[in-house]
Amino acid sequence: MTPQDADLALLSGQMWHAPLSDPASPEQELQRALNQGASYGAVKTGLHRLHRLALPGAQVSAQAQARWPNSIDMALLAFDLALTAHKDAALSRLHARVVQQNRRRAALAGAYLRALRPEMAQQVLAQIKMSSPTARDDIHRRAEFALSQGDFTRALADIDWLEQTGAVPAAAVLRLQLIYRRDGAAALPQWLEESENAAAALWAQAFHIFMSEGDFQQAPHALARWQANPSPDATALSRAQTRLALETGDIQAAQALLDDRLAAQPPWQWQAADHVQWLRAGQLAQHDPAKLLEHARAACRVHARHDWLHHLCRVLREAVEDWRDLAHDRPARSSNTETALIAARAALRMGLSGQAARALAPARRATALAQDLHRLHCVRAEAFWTAGRGEAATAVQHAATQWATDSVQRAESAMLGAELALLAGDPAKAEQMLAPMAKSFAQRMALPLTQARIVFMQGDFAVAMAEHAKFNALKLAQTGTPAPPDVRDRIVEDAYTAARGMEGAFAPDLAVADSIAKVGLARITAAPGLSACLLRRAHVRGDLQFLPDAAAHIPRRIVHYWQGPPGPALMRAREQWARLHPGFEQQLFDEATATTWLRKAFARDMAARFEALGHAALRADLFRLCWILRQGGIFTDLDEYPRIPVTPWLRDARAVLCIERGFGTIANNFIAAEPEHPVCAMALDFVCTALDQTDAPYAWWHSGPAQWTRAAFAHQFGTGGTDVRFLSQAQYCRRVATNLPYPHKRSPDHWR
């Protein structure tokens, strides 16, 4: 270890254990060394250390630049360490050095990009002179920049030049990126196989592209080819192997690789990527989140500029700290794209869509990079649609599409557009949105899932089954283990089986009444899948008749059920429901109090049935049905976070139900009804029958939304009920943030 490395290790070790009592002291020490004649190399290393640790360094970097006025490295460090008010002047000095010396335009372009001035970066790179000693590196950077901007003609010309001048491995990596960005992931496997004597760097890049695509058929192949190359970088290869192990859920392999790579070093000497993988492995292994958070905070101190570490630190805070405090802990708004995205996604996880949109605003105003504007607009669209503002989300999605620079970003825009079309109940538009990317990115797991929902809404259950089979094959490649049927598989297979021989009765151009006439009400209500398809279709078309009744009165009471440790998020939601609904009675049941209530309100066998259920989700489902039937009022899960009161929904209605955006089932995370409402009575009958017919109940299917959907359809179309106010997912989300990602949902005990 060199003396400079030892100094970095010492300072990093101090910051690992605690923040510095005086953050300015390292700069002052470097100033003293500079004044005492420290060498160029020692000062340069010291400045790099200050920048990496995000410590003050503006004064000493300016002094170093004055001492070595011709050094481009010193000018770069002076720019990076300068105070905001002095950034432009520092950048001008750097520009002058680079132009004067006719070299290192790549470094200057990078500085302009960090200053959010891409037009100047492009101008600098356009003026590369072949006589420059750094022409090859500069042209390599120009090709990278052109790829990021979607200028494939410029990029291809530079790649060809690099290849012709002997930089074959570097040119091959750039060509791989060109094909991916221009033509899509589907074009890569054949091109790779046709590449003769591909170097390790090419297979390394291919591996990371396939991993970003979630292609677990091609990624292991690329990793094997990388490993087979002579003398691959052992550390980079180990990180790649760890990444694959983490993504495939092989926790033991990931931890063994991490131990082998990191055990000999103290954690403050690890690279940021190592901390990220160590923390992710700890999350997957269900390690104590408080200890993981302690590690993450220390890692953020020694890698203060690493965005992904800050993201993980925030996620771990959500697993440990009271969400009431987190909601008020708003970071200063930043014009940095990554910082803004981290803040916005954190706000979305907490159900604060407005806060998410506001967090993005400074970065949207500051950046002129098209690829960053695309990313910011995509998250902004998500903020709008999670707030139930579908039209605004669609407008922002259109803007995101305009900013997309390559096929990868256009595919992301297409997926977002398809989701918004499905949210609006327009499967034909969703299908149209996905068509351009379906072949270019066929291995993306989200694609067959979205296509399955599209054709399910159109009544083509056989194709929906086929799309789920594609997804299950992709998932098998990831995990190596066939997954048991989940919510999606069950609803689609049920519809496919129930519609057999009568498939034409569910064509999308038929009226719901015609479908009922062709198939019969009993056959439809017996099948949750058919009920969901037609219920959603009727709602989109405005065929679910609701007649307001001034005499209706849903009791003003709110009830929740929670079983197990409370977790850091619950109290915030419970208090918000109470705060927004003054005058409402509120009660929280657990396993014991629910059992006591059931024994009083129902025959003894209902309490026994409740106690016999083995999973908390099953018990919650049964209890909510019994309670809403007997007592009436609102039952809501505690991962539902109201932003504004739901009281207007209750007026003139005898029941309020929400139709989910996924497959059109009734969401039972929020139910409102009068006591003894027939739809609740029917749902309870269906649930009890379904539970009696299985030895392995599945919460969503046997006790939850599937049976509620049957009851809602039968009430509306069988008994002619007109007293239920049906909400779309968008209408619901205008008032309530739904299904928030509480920490307990990452547990293997969660019902999904």
mmCIF file with all atom_site columns, all heavy atoms in Angstrom, residues 337-352:
data_model
loop_
_atom_site.group_PDB
_atom_site.id
_atom_site.type_symbol
_atom_site.label_atom_id
_atom_site.label_alt_id
_atom_site.label_comp_id
_atom_site.label_asym_id
_atom_site.label_entity_id
_atom_site.label_seq_id
_atom_site.pdbx_PDB_ins_code
_atom_site.Cartn_x
_atom_site.Cartn_y
_atom_site.Cartn_z
_atom_site.occupancy
_atom_site.B_iso_or_equiv
_atom_site.pdbx_formal_charge
_atom_site.auth_seq_id
_atom_site.auth_comp_id
_atom_site.auth_asym_id
_atom_site.auth_atom_id
_atom_site.pdbx_PDB_model_num
ATOM 1   N N   . THR A 1 337 ? -30.079 14.693 -11.524 1.00 0.00 ? 337 THR A N   1
ATOM 2   C CA  . THR A 1 337 ? -31.119 13.755 -11.953 1.00 0.00 ? 337 THR A CA  1
ATOM 3   C C   . THR A 1 337 ? -31.225 12.561 -11.019 1.00 0.00 ? 337 THR A C   1
ATOM 4   O O   . THR A 1 337 ? -32.328 12.176 -10.603 1.00 0.00 ? 337 THR A O   1
ATOM 5   C CB  . THR A 1 337 ? -30.839 13.278 -13.390 1.00 0.00 ? 337 THR A CB  1
ATOM 6   O OG1 . THR A 1 337 ? -30.954 14.395 -14.275 1.00 0.00 ? 337 THR A OG1 1
ATOM 7   C CG2 . THR A 1 337 ? -31.830 12.207 -13.814 1.00 0.00 ? 337 THR A CG2 1
ATOM 8   N N   . GLU A 1 338 ? -30.096 11.938 -10.682 1.00 0.00 ? 338 GLU A N   1
ATOM 9   C CA  . GLU A 1 338 ? -30.150 10.736 -9.849  1.00 0.00 ? 338 GLU A CA  1
ATOM 10  C C   . GLU A 1 338 ? -30.703 11.053 -8.467  1.00 0.00 ? 338 GLU A C   1
ATOM 11  O O   . GLU A 1 338 ? -31.521 10.298 -7.929  1.00 0.00 ? 338 GLU A O   1
ATOM 12  C CB  . GLU A 1 338 ? -28.756 10.111 -9.733  1.00 0.00 ? 338 GLU A CB  1
ATOM 13  C CG  . GLU A 1 338 ? -28.158 9.663  -11.048 1.00 0.00 ? 338 GLU A CG  1
ATOM 14  C CD  . GLU A 1 338 ? -29.027 8.657  -11.786 1.00 0.00 ? 338 GLU A CD  1
ATOM 15  O OE1 . GLU A 1 338 ? -29.769 7.898  -11.134 1.00 0.00 ? 338 GLU A OE1 1
ATOM 16  O OE2 . GLU A 1 338 ? -28.972 8.638  -13.030 1.00 0.00 ? 338 GLU A OE2 1
ATOM 17  N N   . THR A 1 339 ? -30.270 12.153 -7.878  1.00 0.00 ? 339 THR A N   1
ATOM 18  C CA  . THR A 1 339 ? -30.759 12.531 -6.551  1.00 0.00 ? 339 THR A CA  1
ATOM 19  C C   . THR A 1 339 ? -32.259 12.791 -6.588  1.00 0.00 ? 339 THR A C   1
ATOM 20  O O   . THR A 1 339 ? -33.004 12.377 -5.688  1.00 0.00 ? 339 THR A O   1
ATOM 21  C CB  . THR A 1 339 ? -30.016 13.781 -6.055  1.00 0.00 ? 339 THR A CB  1
ATOM 22  O OG1 . THR A 1 339 ? -28.608 13.520 -6.062  1.00 0.00 ? 339 THR A OG1 1
ATOM 23  C CG2 . THR A 1 339 ? -30.449 14.151 -4.649  1.00 0.00 ? 339 THR A CG2 1
ATOM 24  N N   . ALA A 1 340 ? -32.716 13.471 -7.641  1.00 0.00 ? 340 ALA A N   1
ATOM 25  C CA  . ALA A 1 340 ? -34.143 13.758 -7.769  1.00 0.00 ? 340 ALA A CA  1
ATOM 26  C C   . ALA A 1 340 ? -34.952 12.478 -7.936  1.00 0.00 ? 340 ALA A C   1
ATOM 27  O O   . ALA A 1 340 ? -36.036 12.330 -7.354  1.00 0.00 ? 340 ALA A O   1
ATOM 28  C CB  . ALA A 1 340 ? -34.381 14.692 -8.954  1.00 0.00 ? 340 ALA A CB  1
ATOM 29  N N   . LEU A 1 341 ? -34.442 11.537 -8.717  1.00 0.00 ? 341 LEU A N   1
ATOM 30  C CA  . LEU A 1 341 ? -35.161 10.275 -8.923  1.00 0.00 ? 341 LEU A CA  1
ATOM 31  C C   . LEU A 1 341 ? -35.239 9.467  -7.634  1.00 0.00 ? 341 LEU A C   1
ATOM 32  O O   . LEU A 1 341 ? -36.271 8.855  -7.330  1.00 0.00 ? 341 LEU A O   1
ATOM 33  C CB  . LEU A 1 341 ? -34.477 9.461  -10.021 1.00 0.00 ? 341 LEU A CB  1
ATOM 34  C CG  . LEU A 1 341 ? -34.632 10.003 -11.445 1.00 0.00 ? 341 LEU A CG  1
ATOM 35  C CD1 . LEU A 1 341 ? -33.734 9.240  -12.413 1.00 0.00 ? 341 LEU A CD1 1
ATOM 36  C CD2 . LEU A 1 341 ? -36.086 9.917  -11.904 1.00 0.00 ? 341 LEU A CD2 1
ATOM 37  N N   . ILE A 1 342 ? -34.159 9.446  -6.858  1.00 0.00 ? 342 ILE A N   1
ATOM 38  C CA  . ILE A 1 342 ? -34.174 8.731  -5.577  1.00 0.00 ? 342 ILE A CA  1
ATOM 39  C C   . ILE A 1 342 ? -35.235 9.330  -4.658  1.00 0.00 ? 342 ILE A C   1
ATOM 40  O O   . ILE A 1 342 ? -36.024 8.612  -4.026  1.00 0.00 ? 342 ILE A O   1
ATOM 41  C CB  . ILE A 1 342 ? -32.780 8.781  -4.922  1.00 0.00 ? 342 ILE A CB  1
ATOM 42  C CG1 . ILE A 1 342 ? -31.796 7.902  -5.701  1.00 0.00 ? 342 ILE A CG1 1
ATOM 43  C CG2 . ILE A 1 342 ? -32.848 8.321  -3.462  1.00 0.00 ? 342 ILE A CG2 1
ATOM 44  C CD1 . ILE A 1 342 ? -30.347 8.079  -5.282  1.00 0.00 ? 342 ILE A CD1 1
ATOM 45  N N   . ALA A 1 343 ? -35.272 10.657 -4.575  1.00 0.00 ? 343 ALA A N   1
ATOM 46  C CA  . ALA A 1 343 ? -36.250 11.319 -3.710  1.00 0.00 ? 343 ALA A CA  1
ATOM 47  C C   . ALA A 1 343 ? -37.674 11.066 -4.189  1.00 0.00 ? 343 ALA A C   1
ATOM 48  O O   . ALA A 1 343 ? -38.585 10.821 -3.385  1.00 0.00 ? 343 ALA A O   1
ATOM 49  C CB  . ALA A 1 343 ? -35.960 12.820 -3.660  1.00 0.00 ? 343 ALA A CB  1
ATOM 50  N N   . ALA A 1 344 ? -37.880 11.108 -5.507  1.00 0.00 ? 344 ALA A N   1
ATOM 51  C CA  . ALA A 1 344 ? -39.230 10.903 -6.042  1.00 0.00 ? 344 ALA A CA  1
ATOM 52  C C   . ALA A 1 344 ? -39.710 9.479  -5.795  1.00 0.00 ? 344 ALA A C   1
ATOM 53  O O   . ALA A 1 344 ? -40.861 9.254  -5.406  1.00 0.00 ? 344 ALA A O   1
ATOM 54  C CB  . ALA A 1 344 ? -39.246 11.212 -7.537  1.00 0.00 ? 344 ALA A CB  1
ATOM 55  N N   . ARG A 1 345 ? -38.842 8.513  -6.011  1.00 0.00 ? 345 ARG A N   1
ATOM 56  C CA  . ARG A 1 345 ? -39.254 7.117  -5.798  1.00 0.00 ? 345 ARG A CA  1
ATOM 57  C C   . ARG A 1 345 ? -39.519 6.842  -4.324  1.00 0.00 ? 345 ARG A C   1
ATOM 58  O O   . ARG A 1 345 ? -40.412 6.057  -3.984  1.00 0.00 ? 345 ARG A O   1
ATOM 59  C CB  . ARG A 1 345 ? -38.191 6.183  -6.365  1.00 0.00 ? 345 ARG A CB  1
ATOM 60  C CG  . ARG A 1 345 ? -38.144 6.212  -7.898  1.00 0.00 ? 345 ARG A CG  1
ATOM 61  C CD  . ARG A 1 345 ? -37.196 5.176  -8.461  1.00 0.00 ? 345 ARG A CD  1
ATOM 62  N NE  . ARG A 1 345 ? -37.259 5.153  -9.914  1.00 0.00 ? 345 ARG A NE  1
ATOM 63  C CZ  . ARG A 1 345 ? -36.250 5.480  -10.720 1.00 0.00 ? 345 ARG A CZ  1
ATOM 64  N NH1 . ARG A 1 345 ? -35.090 5.852  -10.201 1.00 0.00 ? 345 ARG A NH1 1
ATOM 65  N NH2 . ARG A 1 345 ? -36.388 5.435  -12.030 1.00 0.00 ? 345 ARG A NH2 1
ATOM 66  N N   . ALA A 1 346 ? -38.751 7.472  -3.444  1.00 0.00 ? 346 ALA A N   1
ATOM 67  C CA  . ALA A 1 346 ? -39.019 7.317  -2.013  1.00 0.00 ? 346 ALA A CA  1
ATOM 68  C C   . ALA A 1 346 ? -40.391 7.882  -1.669  1.00 0.00 ? 346 ALA A C   1
ATOM 69  O O   . ALA A 1 346 ? -41.157 7.277  -0.901  1.00 0.00 ? 346 ALA A O   1
ATOM 70  C CB  . ALA A 1 346 ? -37.930 8.015  -1.198  1.00 0.00 ? 346 ALA A CB  1
ATOM 71  N N   . ALA A 1 347 ? -40.731 9.035  -2.239  1.00 0.00 ? 347 ALA A N   1
ATOM 72  C CA  . ALA A 1 347 ? -42.048 9.625  -1.990  1.00 0.00 ? 347 ALA A CA  1
ATOM 73  C C   . ALA A 1 347 ? -43.159 8.729  -2.524  1.00 0.00 ? 347 ALA A C   1
ATOM 74  O O   . ALA A 1 347 ? -44.202 8.555  -1.878  1.00 0.00 ? 347 ALA A O   1
ATOM 75  C CB  . ALA A 1 347 ? -42.124 11.013 -2.627  1.00 0.00 ? 347 ALA A CB  1
ATOM 76  N N   . LEU A 1 348 ? -42.958 8.127  -3.691  1.00 0.00 ? 348 LEU A N   1
ATOM 77  C CA  . LEU A 1 348 ? -43.973 7.229  -4.247  1.00 0.00 ? 348 LEU A CA  1
ATOM 78  C C   . LEU A 1 348 ? -44.168 6.007  -3.359  1.00 0.00 ? 348 LEU A C   1
ATOM 79  O O   . LEU A 1 348 ? -45.297 5.536  -3.181  1.00 0.00 ? 348 LEU A O   1
ATOM 80  C CB  . LEU A 1 348 ? -43.579 6.800  -5.661  1.00 0.00 ? 348 LEU A CB  1
ATOM 81  C CG  . LEU A 1 348 ? -43.706 7.871  -6.746  1.00 0.00 ? 348 LEU A CG  1
ATOM 82  C CD1 . LEU A 1 348 ? -43.153 7.361  -8.064  1.00 0.00 ? 348 LEU A CD1 1
ATOM 83  C CD2 . LEU A 1 348 ? -45.157 8.305  -6.910  1.00 0.00 ? 348 LEU A CD2 1
ATOM 84  N N   . ARG A 1 349 ? -43.080 5.474  -2.809  1.00 0.00 ? 349 ARG A N   1
ATOM 85  C CA  . ARG A 1 349 ? -43.224 4.311  -1.919  1.00 0.00 ? 349 ARG A CA  1
ATOM 86  C C   . ARG A 1 349 ? -44.046 4.663  -0.684  1.00 0.00 ? 349 ARG A C   1
ATOM 87  O O   . ARG A 1 349 ? -44.672 3.788  -0.088  1.00 0.00 ? 349 ARG A O   1
ATOM 88  C CB  . ARG A 1 349 ? -41.849 3.784  -1.504  1.00 0.00 ? 349 ARG A CB  1
ATOM 89  C CG  . ARG A 1 349 ? -41.080 3.093  -2.618  1.00 0.00 ? 349 ARG A CG  1
ATOM 90  C CD  . ARG A 1 349 ? -39.891 2.312  -2.079  1.00 0.00 ? 349 ARG A CD  1
ATOM 91  N NE  . ARG A 1 349 ? -38.920 3.132  -1.396  1.00 0.00 ? 349 ARG A NE  1
ATOM 92  C CZ  . ARG A 1 349 ? -37.922 3.789  -1.974  1.00 0.00 ? 349 ARG A CZ  1
ATOM 93  N NH1 . ARG A 1 349 ? -37.782 3.737  -3.291  1.00 0.00 ? 349 ARG A NH1 1
ATOM 94  N NH2 . ARG A 1 349 ? -37.064 4.504  -1.264  1.00 0.00 ? 349 ARG A NH2 1
ATOM 95  N N   . MET A 1 350 ? -44.052 5.924  -0.304  1.00 0.00 ? 350 MET A N   1
ATOM 96  C CA  . MET A 1 350 ? -44.812 6.355  0.865   1.00 0.00 ? 350 MET A CA  1
ATOM 97  C C   . MET A 1 350 ? -46.196 6.864  0.498   1.00 0.00 ? 350 MET A C   1
ATOM 98  O O   . MET A 1 350 ? -46.937 7.341  1.358   1.00 0.00 ? 350 MET A O   1
ATOM 99  C CB  . MET A 1 350 ? -44.035 7.430  1.620   1.00 0.00 ? 350 MET A CB  1
ATOM 100 C CG  . MET A 1 350 ? -42.670 6.959  2.097   1.00 0.00 ? 350 MET A CG  1
ATOM 101 S SD  . MET A 1 350 ? -41.898 8.083  3.261   1.00 0.00 ? 350 MET A SD  1
ATOM 102 C CE  . MET A 1 350 ? -42.857 7.744  4.724   1.00 0.00 ? 350 MET A CE  1
ATOM 103 N N   . GLY A 1 351 ? -46.556 6.781  -0.784  1.00 0.00 ? 351 GLY A N   1
ATOM 104 C CA  . GLY A 1 351 ? -47.880 7.210  -1.204  1.00 0.00 ? 351 GLY A CA  1
ATOM 105 C C   . GLY A 1 351 ? -48.021 8.702  -1.388  1.00 0.00 ? 351 GLY A C   1
ATOM 106 O O   . GLY A 1 351 ? -49.141 9.214  -1.431  1.00 0.00 ? 351 GLY A O   1
ATOM 107 N N   . LEU A 1 352 ? -46.903 9.407  -1.533  1.00 0.00 ? 352 LEU A N   1
ATOM 108 C CA  . LEU A 1 352 ? -46.922 10.870 -1.635  1.00 0.00 ? 352 LEU A CA  1
ATOM 109 C C   . LEU A 1 352 ? -46.625 11.274 -3.076  1.00 0.00 ? 352 LEU A C   1
ATOM 110 O O   . LEU A 1 352 ? -45.527 11.723 -3.414  1.00 0.00 ? 352 LEU A O   1
ATOM 111 C CB  . LEU A 1 352 ? -45.899 11.469 -0.668  1.00 0.00 ? 352 LEU A CB  1
ATOM 112 C CG  . LEU A 1 352 ? -46.082 11.056 0.807   1.00 0.00 ? 352 LEU A CG  1
ATOM 113 C CD1 . LEU A 1 352 ? -44.924 11.565 1.652   1.00 0.00 ? 352 LEU A CD1 1
ATOM 114 C CD2 . LEU A 1 352 ? -47.410 11.572 1.341   1.00 0.00 ? 352 LEU A CD2 1
#
